[in-house]
Each structure stands twice: as structure tokens, then as C-alpha cells.
Amino acid sequence: MFDTHELGRRPGAMKRLSRSVEAPGSPVLGIDGVIGVPEGAPVELDLRLESVMEGVLVTGTARATAEGECVRCLEPLTVEVDADFQEMFSYPDADDRGRSSAAEPADDAEDDEDRFFLEDGLFDLEAMLRDAVVLALPMQPVCSEDCAGLCSECGIRLDENPGHHHDAVDIRWAALQGLAETVQDGEKDNMGGAEPGVDEKQEK
């Protein structure tokens, strides 16, 4: 929580803050299961608080180190996060001069859900910080732009084995190849006897 009492409510007043906070753990500060800032890791915040008629406008930057794994080769990686954000925190007693006089109570309730409010002069950045970090992180992180990934046949890492390959076998011939090997190793499927019709002539 951040305190705005020293800022006061005079429009135009401004205050800058720098603070280091610990990353929350549940939910993760990032993209769950892909990449995120580990729980308890430091998050450096640079904030500018500006007093306006309706409340306090908060503009800031969050810097942290996120951890995850490459989507191509599955190797661990780290990404430096630099996320910008801005949000208005309204005073609880702020007037509604900006709203239409014909607004329905239901509309007012929906508007309030999208607004952030100061509570006893304090505001919480966690919700907007999560959104800002998620937008700043890569959806598909890679250890390098030219990462070759893993072999689809055996899973070996191709960057460490650039000459790695497998002999391609046409699946259309795979069944015939197996049949040929069976014939060679077996008894040739009764094809080694006399020609058809020989026994019949001898019997006559």
C-alpha cells in the first residue's frame, strides 16, 4: 500500500517515489506456467503521484527479472521486465460531475467496478502491476531468436548438435519394408517348394 497524505489534495501537487517490493506469489506475477517473476523476487518501482480534482493519478515503471523456459528447446531462461503503467485512484467522496444526469444506478455500479479508489489516503498497485507485467512479457519466450529447438524424432537439442539428422523413411513403404524383412528371415512363406502343377502331373 502507498500513502498519499503527504501529497495533499491540492490539484497540481506532485510527488515521486522509488521503492523495492517483493513479487506476490499467488497468482504469479506473469503468465502462469510460461514465465513470471518468482515469488519474493525484488520489483523496483519508480512512481509519480499527481493530485488532480478527482483523485491521484499514478504513473510508474516496474522493473524485475522474470524466469521461465524456452518454448523451443525447454531450456531455462530469464527476461528483464520493464513495464509502464498509469492509473487514476479516485477519492471516495469525488463528485460525479462527469457522469450523465440520466445515468441509471446499474450504470453507476458498472462504472465503479472499473474504477480504483483511495482508501484512507492509501492505494494498492498489485492489480495494475500484474496487468502491466503480463503485457510486457513475451507470450512465447525463447532463449535466442535463432534457437533451433529440439529434434522432433528423438528430442535432442539441435543447437548443440547442428549436424544431427535421421534417415527419412516414407511411411507409404514402411509396411512393405517390414514384409520384406519377414520374408528374408523366415521360410519364404512356402515359396521354396516345387513349382505348382508338378505333383499333379506325377500323380497322373
Side-chain angles (χ1 to χ4, degrees):
M1 299 291 283
F2 294 82
D3 195 338
T4 66
H5 287 100
E6 292 184 7
L7 179 67
R9 296 185 61 162
R10 180 174 59 85
M14 185 179 70
K15 181 179 181 181
R16 294 185 179 275
L17 293 175
S18 293
R19 187 177 299 181
S20 179
V21 299
E22 293 185 355
S26 182
V28 68
L29 189 61
I31 307 170
D32 194 20
V34 179
I35 189 170
V37 181
E39 181 178 3
V43 179
E44 304 299 328
L45 299 175
D46 291 324
L47 307 176
R48 185 181 67 190
L49 313 183
E50 297 177 77
S51 179
V52 296
M53 290 292 295
E54 299 83 5
V56 176
L57 180 65
V58 179
T59 305
T61 300
R63 297 179 179 86
T65 301
E67 298 179 359
E69 64 179 26
C70 176
V71 296
R72 297 179 187 170
C73 68
L74 306 183
E75 288 293 308
L77 57 77
T78 59
V79 174
E80 296 302 317
V81 184
D82 197 340
D84 297 324
F85 53 88
Q86 185 177 69
E87 190 61 65
M88 168 69 74
F89 288 86
S90 301
Y91 297 124
D93 58 349
D95 59 38
D96 296 333
R97 285 177 295 180
R99 299 187 182 183
S100 170
S101 59
E104 297 292 335
D107 295 334
D108 294 344
E110 291 179 2
D111 289 342
D112 287 345
E113 290 180 358
D114 297 331
R115 299 171 65 189
F116 292 93
F117 290 91
L118 293 168
E119 297 182 8
D120 296 327
L122 306 176
F123 64 88
D124 188 358
L125 282 180
E126 184 172 329
M128 74 170 65
L129 187 59
R130 290 186 188 281
D131 293 342
V133 169
V134 168
L135 292 175
L137 287 172
M139 299 297 292
Q140 294 187 321
V142 292
C143 58
S144 65
E145 292 299 327
D146 57 352
C147 175
L150 303 176
C151 173
S152 60
E153 296 289 333
C154 63
I156 195 171
R157 190 163 183 252
L158 296 177
D159 281 347
E160 298 175 352
N161 300 272
H164 176 77
H165 71 281
H166 294 271
D167 293 332
V169 177
D170 193 328
I171 60 173
R172 295 172 296 180
W173 296 101
L176 292 178
Q177 182 178 358
L179 178 60
E181 293 174 354
T182 301
V183 171
Q184 291 175 0
D185 297 338
E187 298 177 356
K188 296 185 179 181
D189 200 19
N190 297 325
M191 294 177 62
E195 295 182 359
V198 173
D199 292 341
E200 294 179 3
K201 292 180 180 180
Q202 291 178 350
E203 291 177 358
K204 293 180 179 178

